[in-house]
Amino acid sequence: MKRKILSIAIALLMIAGSVTGCGNGNGQEKNDNTNINVGENSKESEDNITITVATRYSSDNEDENLYRKKVEEFNNLDNGITIEMDNIATESDYLDKLRTSFANGDTPNVFLEYGGSRCLDYLESDALVDLEPYLKADDSSWYNNFYESFWSMTEYEGYDGIYAVPFKTYMVTLFYNKELFEQADVEPPKSIDDMMELSKTFKDMGILPFQVGEKDPYRFGHFHSSLVIKTLGVDAVDQLANRELSYDSEKMKETYQVMVDMVEKGYFGENILDTDSVSENAQFIEGNVAMHYNGSWFIANELYGTDFYDKVGVVAFPYGDESCKNYAQGGASDMFFVSKLNKSEKEIEASVEFLKFITSPEYFQELDEVAQTIVPVKFEKTENSPENPLLDQVIEIQKEITDLRTDIQNYDPESHMLDTVRSSLQGIAMGDSAEQCATNITNRMKEYGGE
């Protein structure tokens, strides 16, 4: 119901924008690939056009510092385009502001999102630019710069076109403290059973197996997505989306039970609801925790250049079923979309020019020099690219992976599902059973009119 209301609101605003355009003499400008309504939000002047780009990139790390630096470089190109950055670090605040902007018709020109059904509302309301004609224009060099495997989250069943460009990519792996493992005389885990046994070993030694920062609900969300993919397989992601596999099925309850057991035994750490992801990272880097699951960005953003780097090992996230060991959570994460809600043709063209700049091989070459990570664009390393053995190990793990999925709710047709599942998983940290977690998810689905 929430998605339908938002879609209706966007549709009405687009109609209103069209009427406003006719009433003020501007008429309706039309792009070859998109119907664009010129509204009062246009920021054009005779010599310059200003567009707003919304992201979460406000942290003080090499990756996000480079992004902001490159935006300023773009603004100094004297190409008639000025970028206004709207960077909000906190995920919930950022997403709330983005949803509100679509509901009131004052959207950023370019915005960061995670793709999948989360953006289906905007697509159904005809508020997104189809970027495929731009990507494949002329010699298609822009499109061909990207690795083919990263396009899946930018495409939608039933809709022709490509509605985003990948910007950040990742794979969830398990990092471990080599010194603590040597102290315990144990090897890193391959399976969930191994991980549970190791957690008991470390707990008995007075060492935290993990410290999870579930004050940020995505932490349990990432653990559970990896657990499902590595236990039930990538097909389970589609089966959950089409309701062939129910969230209250016995198979899914078994995945919740793993997390319930880890909470009850203290394996996820202490005061997990009062600990955020920043503190979680710090606990691991300070050497207080044996294991830490995270995306490949953790190497660039937190580990590289620290004294702790050489004390860290990395392995694939443990599998629940050996037949699923070559699956992983990962793929395209952060993606840039272009809004056409009350946007002119010139604004859209300027937005495309910015995206070409920010997803160029030259951008990722420079990124590799300061913050090496898995990226969606092909580029040649330079002599300034430093050695990064941990990332090399992640790339070796990636070579064994035969299929990837991002957060499993990103594939769901109901856009509320990511928040619904994450909030229900958070209940496990409050003492909910696997049965209660399943009930919480299905009850929330019913509230939204789902099955």
Side-chain angles (χ1 to χ4, degrees), residues 198-209 265-267:
L198 284 170
S199 294
K200 183 180 186 307
T201 297
F202 285 115
K203 192 75 163 50
D204 290 345
M205 294 172 62
I207 298 169
L208 288 175
K265 295 175 180 179
Y267 296 167

Side-chain angles (χ1 to χ4, degrees), residues 149-150 152-153 168-172 328-334 374 398 404-406 411:
S149 58
F150 291 122
S152 63
M153 290 298 291
K168 287 190 178 183
T169 56
Y170 76 106
M171 183 173 66
V172 172
Q329 181 185 356
S333 53
D334 295 8
I374 299 172
Q398 186 184 32
L404 293 162
R405 293 292 186 276
T406 61
Y411 301 87

